[in-house]
Amino acid sequence: MEPGGRLRIISRADDESVFLMFGDSGVGIRQEDLSQLFQPYHTTKPGGHGLGLMLVQRIMRAHGGQVGIESKEGVGTVVTLSFPQKNRRVRMLEAAIHERQPGCTRGKNSSRPCGGSTAAT
Protein backbone atom coordinates (compact mmCIF):
# COMPACT_ATOMS: atom_id res chain seq x y z
CA MET A 1 0.00 0.00 0.00
CA GLU A 2 1.31 3.45 -0.86
CA PRO A 3 1.89 6.07 1.86
CA GLY A 4 -1.42 7.72 2.70
CA GLY A 5 -3.42 4.58 1.96
CA ARG A 6 -6.15 3.36 4.29
CA LEU A 7 -6.16 0.22 6.41
CA ARG A 8 -9.47 -0.87 7.91
CA ILE A 9 -9.67 -3.49 10.66
CA ILE A 10 -12.94 -5.20 11.54
CA SER A 11 -13.60 -7.91 14.10
CA ARG A 12 -16.62 -10.13 14.56
CA ALA A 13 -17.47 -13.44 16.17
CA ASP A 14 -19.99 -16.24 15.93
CA ASP A 15 -20.53 -19.41 18.01
CA GLU A 16 -17.47 -21.11 16.54
CA SER A 17 -14.93 -18.49 15.47
CA VAL A 18 -13.50 -15.03 15.95
CA PHE A 19 -12.69 -13.18 12.73
CA LEU A 20 -10.22 -10.36 12.16
CA MET A 21 -10.46 -8.69 8.75
CA PHE A 22 -7.79 -6.34 7.42
CA GLY A 23 -8.76 -4.35 4.34
CA ASP A 24 -6.45 -1.97 2.50
CA SER A 25 -6.78 0.57 -0.27
CA GLY A 26 -3.70 -0.70 -2.09
CA VAL A 27 -3.31 -1.75 -5.70
CA GLY A 28 -4.67 -5.25 -5.08
CA ILE A 29 -3.21 -8.59 -6.10
CA ARG A 30 -3.21 -9.86 -9.68
CA GLN A 31 -5.49 -12.87 -10.24
CA GLU A 32 -2.58 -15.03 -11.41
CA ASP A 33 -0.71 -14.31 -8.17
CA LEU A 34 -3.66 -15.06 -5.83
CA SER A 35 -3.43 -18.83 -6.33
CA GLN A 36 0.29 -18.81 -5.45
CA LEU A 37 0.23 -16.58 -2.36
CA PHE A 38 0.89 -19.40 0.11
CA GLN A 39 3.49 -21.17 -2.02
CA PRO A 40 7.02 -21.06 -0.58
CA TYR A 41 9.43 -18.68 -2.32
CA HIS A 42 6.73 -17.05 -4.46
CA THR A 43 7.08 -13.30 -4.16
CA THR A 44 6.21 -10.21 -6.19
CA LYS A 45 8.17 -7.87 -3.91
CA PRO A 46 11.72 -6.76 -4.66
CA GLY A 47 13.89 -8.28 -1.97
CA GLY A 48 11.05 -10.51 -0.72
CA HIS A 49 11.76 -14.10 0.24
CA GLY A 50 8.26 -15.52 -0.30
CA LEU A 51 7.92 -17.25 3.07
CA GLY A 52 5.79 -14.80 5.08
CA LEU A 53 2.27 -15.87 4.10
CA MET A 54 3.23 -19.55 4.06
CA LEU A 55 4.41 -19.23 7.68
CA VAL A 56 1.26 -17.32 8.70
CA GLN A 57 -0.90 -20.03 7.16
CA ARG A 58 1.01 -22.83 8.93
CA ILE A 59 0.79 -21.08 12.30
CA MET A 60 -2.93 -20.43 11.89
CA ARG A 61 -3.62 -24.05 10.88
CA ALA A 62 -1.55 -25.36 13.80
CA HIS A 63 -3.94 -23.50 16.11
CA GLY A 64 -7.10 -24.55 14.27
CA GLY A 65 -7.46 -21.27 12.38
CA GLN A 66 -7.57 -20.26 8.75
CA VAL A 67 -6.36 -17.44 6.51
CA GLY A 68 -8.45 -16.10 3.65
CA ILE A 69 -7.51 -13.50 1.07
CA GLU A 70 -9.76 -11.61 -1.34
CA SER A 71 -8.31 -9.03 -3.69
CA LYS A 72 -9.25 -6.97 -6.69
CA GLU A 73 -6.73 -5.11 -8.78
CA GLY A 74 -7.01 -1.36 -8.42
CA VAL A 75 -9.32 -1.67 -5.39
CA GLY A 76 -7.43 -3.38 -2.58
CA THR A 77 -7.11 -6.54 -0.55
CA VAL A 78 -8.93 -8.05 2.43
CA VAL A 79 -7.12 -10.61 4.59
CA THR A 80 -9.34 -12.55 7.00
CA LEU A 81 -7.93 -14.46 9.96
CA SER A 82 -10.35 -16.95 11.49
CA PHE A 83 -9.58 -18.16 15.02
CA PRO A 84 -11.56 -20.94 16.72
CA GLN A 85 -13.45 -19.94 19.86
CA LYS A 86 -11.85 -21.50 22.93
CA ASN A 87 -15.21 -22.46 24.42
CA ARG A 88 -17.03 -23.11 21.16
CA ARG A 89 -20.08 -25.28 21.26
CA VAL A 90 -19.36 -28.65 19.67
CA ARG A 91 -22.25 -30.12 17.74
CA MET A 92 -22.18 -33.87 17.34
CA LEU A 93 -24.33 -36.10 15.22
CA GLU A 94 -26.54 -38.46 17.20
CA ALA A 95 -24.65 -41.56 16.00
CA ALA A 96 -21.35 -40.09 17.18
CA ILE A 97 -22.82 -39.42 20.64
CA HIS A 98 -23.99 -43.04 20.94
CA GLU A 99 -20.60 -44.41 19.96
CA ARG A 100 -18.98 -42.38 22.74
CA GLN A 101 -21.25 -43.75 25.47
CA PRO A 102 -19.49 -46.61 27.29
CA GLY A 103 -21.44 -49.84 27.34
CA CYS A 104 -23.83 -48.68 24.66
CA THR A 105 -25.28 -51.59 22.67
CA ARG A 106 -27.63 -51.54 19.70
CA GLY A 107 -30.66 -53.69 19.10
CA LYS A 108 -34.18 -54.30 20.40
CA ASN A 109 -33.16 -56.71 23.15
CA SER A 110 -30.26 -54.65 24.48
CA SER A 111 -29.99 -54.25 28.20
CA ARG A 112 -28.55 -50.77 27.61
CA PRO A 113 -29.62 -49.34 24.26
CA CYS A 114 -27.82 -46.34 22.84
CA GLY A 115 -29.26 -42.98 23.70
CA GLY A 116 -30.83 -44.15 26.94
CA SER A 117 -30.19 -42.76 30.34
CA THR A 118 -27.22 -44.12 32.27
CA ALA A 119 -28.94 -43.53 35.61
CA ALA A 120 -30.28 -46.57 37.43
CA THR A 121 -34.00 -46.59 38.21
Side-chain angles (χ1 to χ4, degrees):
M1 191 167 56
E2 295 292 324
R6 294 187 60 153
L7 176 65
R8 189 171 180 195
I9 303 170
I10 299 172
S11 64
R12 70 176 183 86
D14 61 21
D15 287 346
E16 297 181 13
S17 301
V18 174
F19 302 92
L20 289 176
M21 292 161 274
F22 302 86
D24 71 27
S25 61
V27 296
I29 301 169
R30 297 181 333 184
Q31 285 299 117
E32 52 269 17
D33 290 326
L34 274 174
S35 63
Q36 299 178 26
L37 285 178
F38 300 104
Q39 298 299 315
Y41 308 110
H42 174 77
T43 184
T44 60
K45 309 283 187 227
H49 50 72
L51 295 174
L53 284 175
M54 181 199 71
L55 291 173
V56 168
Q57 185 179 51
R58 286 189 181 178
I59 291 167
M60 291 296 292
R61 285 182 177 173
H63 293 281
Q66 295 180 344
V67 179
I69 297 182
E70 297 177 45
S71 188
K72 188 171 184 180
E73 282 187 82
V75 177
T77 301
V78 176
V79 176
T80 302
L81 303 178
S82 171
F83 301 89
Q85 289 269 19
K86 181 179 179 183
N87 298 317
R88 69 179 179 243
R89 184 175 61 203
V90 177
R91 298 180 186 166
M92 300 175 114
L93 298 175
E94 190 173 326
I97 293 170
H98 297 312
E99 291 170 6
R100 289 178 172 238
Q101 292 178 356
C104 171
T105 55
R106 297 207 180 271
K108 291 180 190 176
N109 300 324
S110 289
S111 60
R112 185 164 182 276
C114 297
S117 173
T118 57
T121 54

